[in-house]
Amino acid sequence: MKGSKVNLLVNSTLALGVTLLCLLLVEFTILPVWATGGLHRDLALLGFYATPNSTVGDTPINADGFTGTELSALEASTEEINVLTLGGSTLFNRRMTERMLSNWQQMHGANWTVTGGALRTHTTRASLIKYQEIFSHYDFDYVVIYHGVNDLWTNNVPAADFRTDYSHMQPWYKRNILLENSLVARYLYNGYYRGTGVFPRDNINAADFASNATFESNLQELIAAIRANGATPILMSFAWHIPENYSLDGFKAYEVGYNNPTHYDECPVELWGTTSYVRAGLNLHNQTLRKLARNTQTHLIDLDSYLSGNIENFGDVVHLSDIGTDRLVERVGRELGVLAADALD
């Protein structure tokens, strides 16, 4: 009888050991190769990146899953002025990072680098996650933040379904110790919970601008994290333009006046919600940005005042035209140059 108990204990221990070994094999060998295509583990667990060494539209993605200067290059030099950008497609499209790097090196000298952390569909919450889990480990001098429209997606659910971490949208927004460290847990969770997606279907603003408080708290937390790492955060008010004659039919017929002859990544207002909702939401987020800049004494580049009044700057409601992109790059570069010069005095 005693021998049977010993055998049972040995078999149970062996079974547990084999199970743990199989889990470790899946976690560190099978999933990194099969499910992620061999991505670096940190990137695979992050979720918020583009496919490394690919092209999105006309914009090349670097080996890190972002744009511009690779993170490994930042470790090689202490002489450069390193800039990180965070935002959505409005700070990604039209090879924005590449144009910033070229323009700013001509303007200020070759010792400027630009790492583009902005990617399509990303929100303030995505930028906060990217900064905390990836970018905070690198030595940036300035972090330029440009958000305004994508957080409006989060309101398009019943109020009871809104989550302040935006996890109601998609599973990658859900973060905890287990999900941030285990690929097995992450892929099981993501397979179980799909979220509502980002594009509106029903319930336009059913959450009644609940995003605004989260928009503010995400940016406030991001500003504090950037400063804790010794970098300077830069906020930018959000530029947009909806002409008075706007309609979806007019937009589709290219009759509302946007400056986008090649139809580059053109998006109707309705991608985010109704015209009245998007107008109100962008105004609200810009009010929040200005208030936050004052309250946290953060430098604000007022792109709303600089760009929004001229439809020539826009390919659609929020995405810039070629000339609008050039104007943004030039304006931001000049303000960063002044800040860098002041820091040296």
Side-chain angles (χ1 to χ4, degrees), residues 116-170:
L119 292 170
R120 288 177 176 174
T121 77
H122 284 198
T123 65
T124 55
R125 171 75 174 154
S127 287
L128 178 60
I129 291 168
K130 285 182 290 184
Y131 188 79
Q132 289 174 328
E133 298 184 14
I134 297 290
F135 296 126
S136 63
H137 303 305
Y138 296 88
D139 185 19
F140 290 102
D141 297 286
Y142 299 96
V143 181
V144 178
I145 306 162
Y146 189 53
H147 278 291
V149 72
N150 288 344
D151 287 60
L152 293 180
W153 275 321
T154 68
N155 297 314
N156 298 322
V157 293
D161 294 341
F162 183 89
R163 298 290 181 269
T164 56
D165 63 0
Y166 293 171
S167 61
H168 59 287
M169 286 177 60
Q170 57 131 314

Coordinates of all heavy atoms in Angstrom, one line a residue, residues 116-170:
G116 N 10.5 56.7 -35.2 CA 9.1 56.9 -35.4 C 8.3 55.8 -34.7 O 8.2 54.7 -35.2
G117 N 7.7 56.1 -33.5 CA 6.9 55.1 -32.8 C 5.4 55.2 -33.1 O 4.6 54.5 -32.6
A118 N 5.1 56.2 -34.0 CA 3.7 56.4 -34.4 C 3.3 55.3 -35.5 O 4.1 55.1 -36.4 CB 3.5 57.8 -35.0
L119 N 2.2 54.7 -35.3 CA 1.7 53.7 -36.3 C 0.2 53.9 -36.5 O -0.5 54.4 -35.6 CB 2.0 52.3 -35.8 CG 3.5 51.9 -35.8 CD1 3.7 50.6 -35.1 CD2 4.1 51.9 -37.2
R120 N -0.3 53.4 -37.6 CA -1.7 53.5 -37.9 C -2.6 52.9 -36.9 O -2.3 51.8 -36.4 CB -2.0 52.9 -39.3 CG -1.5 53.8 -40.5 CD -1.7 53.1 -41.8 NE -1.3 54.0 -42.9 CZ -1.2 53.6 -44.2 NH1 -1.6 52.4 -44.5 NH2 -0.8 54.5 -45.1
T121 N -3.7 53.5 -36.6 CA -4.8 53.1 -35.6 C -4.4 53.3 -34.1 O -5.2 53.1 -33.3 CB -5.3 51.7 -35.8 OG1 -4.3 50.7 -35.3 CG2 -5.6 51.4 -37.3
H122 N -3.2 53.7 -33.8 CA -2.7 53.7 -32.5 C -3.3 54.9 -31.7 O -3.6 56.0 -32.2 CB -1.2 53.7 -32.4 CG -0.6 52.4 -32.6 ND1 0.7 52.1 -32.3 CD2 -1.1 51.3 -33.2 CE1 1.0 50.8 -32.6 NE2 -0.1 50.4 -33.2
T123 N -3.6 54.7 -30.4 CA -4.2 55.6 -29.5 C -3.2 56.1 -28.5 O -2.1 55.6 -28.4 CB -5.4 55.0 -28.8 OG1 -4.9 53.9 -28.0 CG2 -6.5 54.4 -29.8
T124 N -3.7 57.0 -27.6 CA -2.8 57.4 -26.5 C -2.4 56.2 -25.6 O -1.3 56.1 -25.1 CB -3.5 58.5 -25.6 OG1 -4.8 58.0 -25.2 CG2 -3.7 59.8 -26.4
R125 N -3.4 55.3 -25.4 CA -3.1 54.1 -24.6 C -2.0 53.2 -25.3 O -1.1 52.7 -24.6 CB -4.4 53.3 -24.4 CG -4.2 51.9 -23.8 CD -4.0 52.0 -22.3 NE -4.0 50.6 -21.8 CZ -3.3 50.3 -20.7 NH1 -2.6 51.2 -20.0 NH2 -3.4 49.0 -20.2
A126 N -2.1 53.1 -26.6 CA -1.1 52.3 -27.3 C 0.3 53.0 -27.2 O 1.3 52.3 -26.9 CB -1.4 52.2 -28.8
S127 N 0.3 54.3 -27.3 CA 1.6 55.0 -27.1 C 2.2 54.9 -25.7 O 3.4 54.7 -25.5 CB 1.4 56.5 -27.5 OG 1.3 56.7 -28.8
L128 N 1.3 54.9 -24.7 CA 1.8 54.8 -23.3 C 2.4 53.4 -23.1 O 3.4 53.2 -22.5 CB 0.6 55.0 -22.4 CG 0.9 54.8 -20.9 CD1 2.0 55.7 -20.4 CD2 -0.4 55.0 -20.1
I129 N 1.7 52.4 -23.6 CA 2.2 51.0 -23.5 C 3.5 50.8 -24.3 O 4.5 50.3 -23.7 CB 1.2 50.0 -24.1 CG1 -0.1 49.9 -23.2 CG2 1.8 48.6 -24.3 CD1 -1.2 49.2 -23.8
K130 N 3.6 51.4 -25.5 CA 4.9 51.3 -26.2 C 6.0 52.0 -25.5 O 7.2 51.4 -25.4 CB 4.7 51.9 -27.6 CG 4.0 51.1 -28.6 CD 3.9 51.8 -30.0 CE 3.0 53.0 -29.9 NZ 2.8 53.6 -31.3
Y131 N 5.7 53.1 -24.9 CA 6.8 53.9 -24.2 C 7.2 53.1 -22.9 O 8.4 52.9 -22.7 CB 6.4 55.3 -23.8 CG 7.5 56.1 -23.3 CD1 8.5 56.6 -24.1 CD2 7.7 56.2 -21.9 CE1 9.6 57.3 -23.6 CE2 8.8 56.8 -21.4 CZ 9.7 57.4 -22.3 OH 10.9 58.0 -21.8
Q132 N 6.3 52.7 -22.2 CA 6.6 52.0 -20.9 C 7.4 50.7 -21.1 O 8.3 50.4 -20.4 CB 5.3 51.7 -20.1 CG 4.6 52.9 -19.5 CD 3.3 52.6 -18.9 OE1 2.6 51.7 -19.3 NE2 2.9 53.3 -17.8
E133 N 7.0 49.9 -22.2 CA 7.5 48.6 -22.3 C 8.7 48.5 -23.3 O 9.5 47.5 -23.2 CB 6.4 47.6 -22.8 CG 5.3 47.5 -21.8 CD 4.2 46.5 -22.1 OE1 4.5 45.7 -23.1 OE2 3.2 46.5 -21.5
I134 N 8.9 49.5 -24.1 CA 10.0 49.4 -25.1 C 10.8 50.7 -25.1 O 12.0 50.7 -24.8 CB 9.4 49.2 -26.5 CG1 8.7 47.9 -26.7 CG2 10.6 49.3 -27.6 CD1 9.6 46.7 -26.6
F135 N 10.2 51.8 -25.4 CA 11.0 53.0 -25.6 C 11.7 53.6 -24.4 O 12.7 54.3 -24.5 CB 10.2 54.1 -26.3 CG 9.7 53.7 -27.7 CD1 8.4 53.7 -28.0 CD2 10.6 53.3 -28.7 CE1 7.9 53.3 -29.3 CE2 10.2 52.9 -29.9 CZ 8.8 52.9 -30.2
S136 N 11.1 53.4 -23.2 CA 11.7 53.9 -22.0 C 13.1 53.4 -21.7 O 13.8 53.9 -20.9 CB 10.7 53.7 -20.8 OG 10.6 52.3 -20.6
H137 N 13.5 52.3 -22.3 CA 14.8 51.7 -22.1 C 15.9 52.4 -22.9 O 17.0 51.9 -22.9 CB 14.7 50.2 -22.4 CG 13.7 49.5 -21.7 ND1 13.6 49.5 -20.3 CD2 12.6 48.7 -22.1 CE1 12.6 48.7 -19.9 NE2 12.0 48.3 -21.0
Y138 N 15.5 53.4 -23.7 CA 16.5 54.0 -24.6 C 16.6 55.5 -24.3 O 15.7 56.1 -23.7 CB 16.1 53.8 -26.1 CG 16.1 52.4 -26.4 CD1 15.0 51.5 -26.2 CD2 17.3 51.8 -26.9 CE1 15.1 50.2 -26.6 CE2 17.3 50.4 -27.2 CZ 16.2 49.6 -27.1 OH 16.3 48.3 -27.3
D139 N 17.7 56.1 -24.7 CA 18.0 57.5 -24.3 C 17.5 58.5 -25.4 O 18.3 58.8 -26.3 CB 19.6 57.6 -24.1 CG 20.0 58.9 -23.6 OD1 19.1 59.7 -23.1 OD2 21.2 59.3 -23.8
F140 N 16.3 58.9 -25.2 CA 15.8 60.0 -26.0 C 15.9 61.3 -25.4 O 15.8 61.5 -24.2 CB 14.3 59.7 -26.4 CG 14.1 58.5 -27.3 CD1 13.7 57.3 -26.8 CD2 14.4 58.6 -28.6 CE1 13.5 56.2 -27.6 CE2 14.2 57.5 -29.5 CZ 13.8 56.3 -28.9
D141 N 16.1 62.4 -26.2 CA 16.2 63.7 -25.7 C 14.8 64.4 -25.7 O 14.4 65.1 -24.8 CB 17.2 64.6 -26.5 CG 18.6 64.0 -26.4 OD1 19.2 64.2 -25.3 OD2 19.0 63.4 -27.4
Y142 N 14.0 64.1 -26.8 CA 12.7 64.7 -27.0 C 11.7 63.6 -27.4 O 12.1 62.7 -28.2 CB 12.7 65.8 -28.0 CG 13.6 67.0 -27.6 CD1 14.9 67.0 -28.1 CD2 13.2 67.9 -26.7 CE1 15.8 68.1 -27.7 CE2 14.0 69.0 -26.3 CZ 15.3 69.0 -26.8 OH 16.2 70.1 -26.4
V143 N 10.5 63.6 -26.8 CA 9.5 62.7 -27.2 C 8.3 63.6 -27.7 O 7.7 64.3 -26.9 CB 9.0 61.8 -26.1 CG1 7.9 60.8 -26.6 CG2 10.2 61.0 -25.6
V144 N 8.0 63.5 -29.0 CA 6.9 64.3 -29.6 C 5.7 63.5 -29.7 O 5.7 62.4 -30.3 CB 7.4 64.8 -31.0 CG1 6.3 65.6 -31.7 CG2 8.7 65.6 -30.9
I145 N 4.6 64.0 -29.1 CA 3.3 63.3 -29.0 C 2.2 64.0 -29.8 O 1.9 65.2 -29.6 CB 2.9 63.2 -27.5 CG1 4.0 62.6 -26.7 CG2 1.6 62.4 -27.4 CD1 3.9 62.9 -25.2
Y146 N 1.6 63.2 -30.7 CA 0.5 63.8 -31.6 C -0.6 62.8 -31.6 O -0.7 61.9 -32.4 CB 1.1 64.0 -33.0 CG 0.2 64.8 -33.9 CD1 -0.3 66.1 -33.5 CD2 -0.1 64.3 -35.2 CE1 -1.1 66.8 -34.4 CE2 -0.9 65.1 -36.0 CZ -1.4 66.3 -35.6 OH -2.2 67.0 -36.5
H147 N -1.6 63.1 -30.8 CA -2.8 62.3 -30.8 C -4.1 63.2 -30.7 O -4.0 64.3 -30.3 CB -2.8 61.4 -29.5 CG -2.1 60.2 -29.6 ND1 -2.4 59.1 -30.4 CD2 -0.9 59.8 -29.0 CE1 -1.5 58.1 -30.3 NE2 -0.6 58.5 -29.4
G148 N -5.2 62.6 -31.2 CA -6.4 63.4 -31.2 C -7.6 62.6 -31.7 O -8.7 62.7 -31.1
V149 N -7.5 61.9 -32.8 CA -8.7 61.3 -33.4 C -8.9 59.8 -33.0 O -10.1 59.4 -32.8 CB -8.7 61.5 -34.9 CG1 -7.6 60.6 -35.6 CG2 -10.0 61.3 -35.5
N150 N -7.9 59.0 -32.9 CA -8.1 57.6 -32.8 C -8.8 57.2 -31.5 O -9.5 56.2 -31.4 CB -6.8 56.8 -33.0 CG -6.4 56.8 -34.4 OD1 -7.2 57.1 -35.3 ND2 -5.1 56.5 -34.7
D151 N -8.5 58.0 -30.4 CA -9.2 57.7 -29.1 C -10.7 57.9 -29.2 O -11.4 57.3 -28.4 CB -8.7 58.7 -28.0 CG -7.3 58.3 -27.6 OD1 -6.3 58.3 -28.4 OD2 -7.1 58.0 -26.4
L152 N -11.2 58.6 -30.3 CA -12.7 58.7 -30.4 C -13.3 57.4 -30.8 O -14.5 57.2 -30.5 CB -13.0 59.7 -31.5 CG -12.6 61.2 -31.2 CD1 -13.0 62.1 -32.4 CD2 -13.3 61.7 -30.0
W153 N -12.6 56.4 -31.3 CA -13.2 55.1 -31.6 C -13.7 54.5 -30.3 O -14.7 53.7 -30.3 CB -12.1 54.2 -32.2 CG -11.9 54.3 -33.7 CD1 -12.9 54.5 -34.6 CD2 -10.7 54.2 -34.4 NE1 -12.4 54.5 -35.9 CE2 -11.0 54.4 -35.7 CE3 -9.4 54.1 -34.0 CZ2 -10.0 54.3 -36.7 CZ3 -8.4 54.0 -35.0 CH2 -8.7 54.2 -36.3
T154 N -13.0 54.7 -29.2 CA -13.3 54.0 -28.0 C -14.7 54.3 -27.4 O -15.2 53.6 -26.6 CB -12.2 54.3 -26.9 OG1 -12.3 55.6 -26.5 CG2 -10.8 54.0 -27.5
N155 N -15.3 55.4 -27.8 CA -16.6 55.9 -27.3 C -17.7 55.2 -28.0 O -18.9 55.3 -27.5 CB -16.7 57.4 -27.5 CG -15.7 58.2 -26.7 OD1 -15.5 57.9 -25.5 ND2 -15.1 59.2 -27.3
N156 N -17.5 54.4 -29.1 CA -18.5 53.9 -29.9 C -19.0 52.5 -29.3 O -19.1 51.5 -30.1 CB -18.1 53.8 -31.3 CG -17.8 55.2 -31.9 OD1 -18.5 56.1 -31.6 ND2 -16.8 55.3 -32.7
V157 N -19.2 52.4 -28.1 CA -19.8 51.3 -27.4 C -20.8 51.7 -26.3 O -20.7 52.9 -25.9 CB -18.6 50.4 -26.7 CG1 -17.7 49.8 -27.7 CG2 -17.9 51.3 -25.7
P158 N -21.7 50.9 -25.9 CA -22.5 51.2 -24.8 C -21.7 51.6 -23.6 O -20.6 51.1 -23.3 CB -23.3 49.9 -24.5 CG -23.3 49.2 -25.8 CD -22.0 49.5 -26.4
A159 N -22.2 52.6 -22.8 CA -21.4 53.2 -21.7 C -20.9 52.1 -20.7 O -19.8 52.1 -20.2 CB -22.2 54.2 -21.0
A160 N -21.8 51.1 -20.5 CA -21.4 50.0 -19.6 C -20.2 49.1 -20.1 O -19.6 48.5 -19.3 CB -22.6 49.1 -19.3
D161 N -20.0 49.2 -21.4 CA -18.9 48.4 -22.0 C -17.6 49.1 -22.1 O -16.6 48.5 -22.4 CB -19.3 47.9 -23.4 CG -20.5 46.9 -23.3 OD1 -20.7 46.3 -22.3 OD2 -21.1 46.8 -24.4
F162 N -17.6 50.4 -21.8 CA -16.4 51.2 -22.0 C -15.4 50.8 -20.9 O -15.8 50.7 -19.7 CB -16.7 52.7 -21.9 CG -15.5 53.6 -22.1 CD1 -15.1 54.0 -23.3 CD2 -14.7 54.0 -21.0 CE1 -14.0 54.8 -23.5 CE2 -13.6 54.8 -21.1 CZ -13.2 55.2 -22.4
R163 N -14.1 50.6 -21.2 CA -13.1 50.3 -20.3 C -12.0 51.4 -20.4 O -11.6 51.7 -21.5 CB -12.5 49.0 -20.5 CG -13.5 47.8 -20.4 CD -13.9 47.6 -18.9 NE -14.9 46.5 -18.8 CZ -16.2 46.7 -18.8 NH1 -16.7 47.9 -19.1 NH2 -17.0 45.6 -18.7
T164 N -11.6 51.9 -19.2 CA -10.6 53.0 -19.3 C -9.2 52.6 -19.8 O -8.4 53.4 -20.2 CB -10.4 53.6 -17.9 OG1 -10.0 52.5 -17.0 CG2 -11.7 54.2 -17.3
D165 N -8.9 51.3 -19.8 CA -7.7 50.8 -20.5 C -7.9 50.5 -22.0 O -7.0 50.0 -22.6 CB -7.1 49.6 -19.7 CG -8.0 48.4 -19.8 OD1 -9.1 48.5 -20.4 OD2 -7.6 47.3 -19.2
Y166 N -9.1 50.8 -22.5 CA -9.4 50.6 -23.9 C -9.5 49.1 -24.3 O -9.5 48.7 -25.4 CB -8.5 51.3 -24.8 CG -8.6 52.8 -24.8 CD1 -7.6 53.6 -25.5 CD2 -9.6 53.5 -24.1 CE1 -7.7 55.0 -25.5 CE2 -9.6 54.9 -24.1 CZ -8.7 55.6 -24.8 OH -8.8 57.0 -24.8
S167 N -9.5 48.2 -23.3 CA -9.5 46.8 -23.6 C -10.7 46.3 -24.2 O -10.8 45.2 -24.7 CB -9.2 46.0 -22.3 OG -10.2 46.2 -21.3
H168 N -11.8 47.1 -24.2 CA -13.0 46.7 -24.9 C -12.8 46.8 -26.4 O -13.6 46.1 -27.1 CB -14.2 47.6 -24.5 CG -14.0 49.1 -24.8 ND1 -13.1 49.9 -24.0 CD2 -14.5 49.9 -25.7 CE1 -13.1 51.1 -24.5 NE2 -13.9 51.2 -25.5
M169 N -11.8 47.5 -26.9 CA -11.6 47.6 -28.3 C -10.9 46.3 -28.9 O -11.3 45.8 -29.9 CB -10.7 48.8 -28.6 CG -11.4 50.1 -28.5 SD -10.3 51.5 -28.8 CE -9.8 51.1 -30.5
Q170 N -9.8 45.9 -28.3 CA -9.0 44.8 -28.7 C -8.2 44.2 -27.6 O -7.8 44.9 -26.7 CB -8.2 45.1 -29.9 CG -7.2 46.3 -29.7 CD -5.8 45.9 -30.2 OE1 -5.3 44.8 -29.9 NE2 -5.2 46.9 -30.9

